[in-house]
Amino acid sequence: MSLSLLGGVAQAAPAQAAEPPQPVIGQPAKDKDGCAKIEKSLPTLADWPKVDSRFKGKADDEARIAQILAGMTLEEKVGQMTQPEITSITPDEVKQYAIGSVLNGGGAWPGGNKHATQQDWLNLADAYWNASKTSRTKIPVIWGIDAVHGNNNVYGATVFPHNIGLGAAHDPCLVRDVAGATARQIRATGQDWAFSPTLAVVQDDRWGRTYEGFSEDPRITRSYGFEAINGLQDGATKRIGYNGVIATAKHFIGDGGTLKGQDQGVNPSSEADMINIHGQGYYGALAAGTQTVMVSFNSWTNADLGINEGKLHGSDKAMNQILKGKMGFDGLVVSDWNGIGQVTGCTNSSCPQAINAGIDIVMVPADWKAFITNTIAQVKDGQIPMARIDDAVTRILRVKIRDGLFESQKPSDRSYANSDEALKDNWLARDAARESQTLLKNNGNVLPLKPKSKVLVVGKSADNIQNQTGGWTLSWQGTGNTNADFPNATSILTGIKQDLGDANVTFDEKGDIDPKGYDAVIAVIGETPYAEGVGDLTRKTLEASKLYPEDLAVLDKVSG
Ligand code: GLC
């Protein structure tokens, strides 16, 4: 209670109502299989929780970081914060500019070759690695890759159902296993860092990236957020080590809650909904010790509620106050692809606001030289405090030390490098595909089909593997591929033939054959691949038949 003098008369100020204690979230309860349980309900949180990450690193890590930092120039510090794309930077430039990380965007392969071999990927990874290790600071570079359903950029890699399929399985241990397999696939080609999982809790299915989220249910996303990080980082608490890679909880925060599901649009959520819906995946991911978080393209704005954060890439509240402050995240925050350019007053190569708001690594695919020049100038003229730069580089070094990189060999000498076995995980993929199926109805118990049933198969996707794999597969949009681009994959038609025998299966894509005389007709239809905004359903309808009339036509024909 405090006393205040009012006109000479002491007046006791009313006692401040005690702030409710900040919630704290630790390790999740486990289900019967030993994985993070999908809770029946989640307690409503009145504030952002402090999340107790199980990843503590080793005792002397911080002293080591301080020692490395003290020996770095401003140019080297800004270089560590810069992430160019592999098509716009050479290994020599990585050394010259002391670059801290690189990425390949969806559809960027070594030498621009979609069929690049594991050895091609490893050769480029070694080149970047060797360049960084011969720089003045010798700080190892890290390579980030969008391995969002297996190592899906890589020719010959086994891909798994997208997150929405895994969400339908209600199986957190499956998510752990798929993530673990993905980590090994990434090590097989020499990268260090998975830009996954997406932890969007999707509220409007018109969003083109709905399939990248696990679920509209925060309970599932919370449990899966834990197990996805657990699998990718191999359950690490001190060093990520041989089986794991650096993981990314993305996109912080509220990417799945924009108006009309518009990609990169406005999320008008109250803070309570941000905490209790869109934040849940991060409570799981941070508890599992994710070492990186990627910022979201969307805005967080609701004038009626007095919320005016605008683009999250410039939101001090979201990154500094909430993620790093209240939630206690001590890893690094990476921006999204040219995301800083969307912040008011910024460009792709200049955004002191975004760095001051808490971004530690800036994903600047092409304009990275200008970004470095501008950012150094902005530190020198005081727009960006040196303390912020030092904090960003401290976080980057912390993640690299926790990844064991300072003791690591070059990528091609590491475990699983060039391992064909690691790259192919068909049995797990089949399990995942099996579990992700959703049976909507089974009239007349037509399923399961009897052995040797005579079946007519129709539809555009029966023998089209790229329609099975969707976006983020080989190419960014998942298009432009033929079955020959998937040497280890099985189309749905081939799988049916393997099961029933070729002689019992007739395939007619357009459905012109009279279905009479067949025990069953299997129509394989649906969406064609897309990624990001391309898939937004700006139309009012979710009726796929209006979007894919060819599917309705086939169904009309075979149903007589
Ligand atoms: C994209 C996506 C993000 C991805 C990044 C790098 O725009 O929003 O999910 O990790 O760029 O490819």
Side-chain angles (χ1 to χ4, degrees):
M1 188 179 312
S2 64
L3 294 179
S4 63
L5 283 179
L6 186 66
V9 174
Q11 177 170 353
Q16 294 292 331
E19 285 278 309
Q22 183 189 9
V24 177
I25 288 177
Q27 298 305 295
K30 297 298 171 67
D31 64 17
K32 62 180 176 35
D33 301 317
C35 288
K37 189 177 168 191
I38 299 174
E39 296 292 353
K40 286 195 176 10
S41 67
L42 295 171
T44 300
L45 301 172
D47 191 6
W48 297 94
K50 169 80 172 64
V51 183
D52 181 19
S53 167
R54 68 176 179 190
F55 207 129
K56 309 293 182 194
K58 290 188 176 176
D60 62 355
D61 288 354
E62 297 306 309
R64 201 172 164 195
I65 292 164
Q67 185 186 14
I68 298 168
L69 185 71
M72 295 173 73
T73 66
L74 172 58
E75 289 70 14
E76 288 162 341
K77 292 175 182 177
V78 174
Q80 277 301 308
M81 296 173 65
T82 306
Q83 184 181 66
E85 214 273 345
I86 60 170
T87 53
S88 72
I89 187 163
T90 65
D92 285 347
E93 289 170 321
V94 162
K95 177 176 180 178
Q96 181 185 348
Y97 290 86
I99 298 296
S101 63
V102 298
L103 85 144
N104 63 287
W109 317 282
N113 174 11
K114 176 160 72 169
H115 289 185
T117 64
Q118 288 187 62
Q119 194 56 58
D120 294 331
W121 286 91
L122 286 163
N123 291 344
L124 184 55
D126 281 355
Y128 283 129
W129 169 269
N130 293 330
S132 66
K133 292 294 278 182
T134 52
S135 69
R136 194 188 73 83
T137 60
K138 296 185 176 50
I139 298 170
V141 71
I142 49 179
W143 180 344
I145 189 167
D146 286 288
V148 297
H149 63 129
N151 199 0
N152 39 264
N153 297 275
V154 175
Y155 175 71
T158 297
V159 291
F160 298 92
H162 278 287
N163 285 351
I164 195 170
L166 299 179
H170 288 227
D171 184 348
C173 285
L174 175 67
V175 168
R176 176 201 61 195
D177 296 346
V178 167
T182 300
R184 292 188 290 277
Q185 288 192 13
I186 294 168
R187 296 185 67 92
T189 52
Q191 287 67 51
D192 310 278
W193 181 6
F195 293 145
S196 63
T198 292
L199 298 173
V201 184
V202 182
Q203 304 298 295
D204 189 319
D205 293 344
R206 288 174 292 185
W207 186 39
R209 302 188 74 171
T210 293
Y211 71 87
E212 293 189 58
F214 288 121
S215 177
E216 64 194 29
D217 185 337
R219 297 174 307 121
I220 293 174
T221 306
R222 168 97 162 250
S223 157
Y224 279 23
F226 183 93
E227 290 302 343
I229 301 301
N230 188 28
L232 282 166
Q233 295 189 171
D234 191 33
T237 58
K238 291 182 178 176
R239 291 286 182 272
I240 289 177
Y242 294 137
N243 296 319
V245 294
I246 300 164
T248 310
K250 72 181 189 180
H251 313 79
F252 192 81
I253 185 171
D255 47 353
T258 60
L259 292 168
K260 296 184 182 176
Q262 184 193 349
D263 192 36
Q264 306 188 8
V266 177
N267 184 323
S269 294
S270 65
E271 185 148 14
D273 282 351
M274 274 298 195
I275 292 170
N276 289 291
I277 298 173
H278 302 289
Q280 293 289 356
Y282 294 90
Y283 310 149
L286 266 61
T290 184
Q291 288 303 291
T292 80
V293 171
M294 186 183 289
V295 192
S296 191
F297 279 123
N298 62 274
S299 302
W300 180 18
T301 301
N302 185 323
D304 297 341
L305 298 178
I307 297 171
N308 189 28
E309 290 310 303
K311 284 289 179 179
L312 282 165
H313 273 70
S315 171
D316 172 77
K317 176 183 173 80
M319 291 183 276
N320 283 335
Q321 297 175 38
I322 294 171
L323 178 62
K324 294 180 176 180
K326 292 205 167 182
M327 293 167 68
F329 177 61
D330 71 351
L332 70 85
V333 174
V334 60
S335 65
D336 202 335
W337 186 278
N338 285 327
I340 64 169
Q342 295 189 16
V343 176
T344 303
C346 290
T347 67
N348 290 346
S349 59
S350 172
C351 195
Q353 300 93 300
I355 293 172
N356 289 336
I359 289 176
D360 303 305
I361 289 184
V362 178
M363 189 185 293
V364 48
D367 307 311
W368 56 273
K369 286 181 183 170
F371 169 76
I372 290 172
T373 303
N374 294 333
T375 304
I376 289 169
Q378 287 151 5
V379 177
K380 288 180 174 172
D381 70 14
Q383 291 183 69
I384 303 174
M386 178 57 92
R388 173 71 272 271
I389 298 293
D390 286 345
D391 172 56
V393 178
T394 292
R395 288 170 177 269
I396 295 166
L397 293 173
R398 182 178 295 141
V399 172
K400 290 186 176 183
I401 285 174
R402 287 175 173 178
D403 186 37
L405 271 173
F406 284 82
E407 292 77 38
S408 175
Q409 313 93 317
K410 67 181 189 303
S412 59
D413 288 339
R414 298 174 192 166
S415 53
Y416 302 106
N418 218 358
S419 159
D420 210 37
E421 187 195 347
L423 210 56
K424 292 177 198 143
D425 224 319
N426 289 40
W427 294 112
L428 177 58
R430 288 188 176 198
D431 273 348
R434 204 173 286 124
E435 284 199 47
S436 66
Q437 303 299 316
T438 304
L439 180 63
L440 298 178
K441 53 184 171 184
N442 191 13
N443 295 350
N445 289 318
V446 71
L447 294 174
L449 293 176
K450 294 179 180 55
K452 307 289 180 213
S453 297
K454 270 175 65 62
V455 164
L456 173 61
V457 179
V458 300
K460 68 173 187 266
S461 297
D463 198 31
N464 182 317
I465 293 173
Q466 85 167 4
N467 284 2
Q468 282 170 229
T469 55
W472 294 103
T473 312
L474 287 177
S475 62
W476 177 42
Q477 295 295 319
T479 52
N481 305 309
T482 68
N483 286 2
D485 290 310
F486 301 94
N488 304 313
T490 306
S491 74
I492 294 172
L493 174 67
T494 303
I496 293 168
K497 285 181 174 175
Q498 285 170 350
D499 216 38
L500 297 177
D502 285 13
N504 293 310
V505 179
T506 306
F507 174 47
D508 171 26
E509 184 174 324
K510 303 290 185 202
D512 293 325
I513 292 178
D514 185 342
K516 283 192 192 62
Y518 289 93
D519 298 315
V521 176
I522 299 174
V524 189
I525 58 177
E527 290 193 294
T528 51
Y530 55 72
E532 303 203 45
V534 176
D536 282 6
L537 286 176
T538 45
R539 308 162 182 84
K540 290 192 174 31
T541 175
L542 275 172
E543 286 176 59
S545 56
K546 293 203 175 91
L547 299 174
Y548 299 99
E550 70 278 9
D551 290 342
L552 205 60
V554 161
L555 293 178
D556 285 346
K557 280 187 214 169
V558 294
S559 47

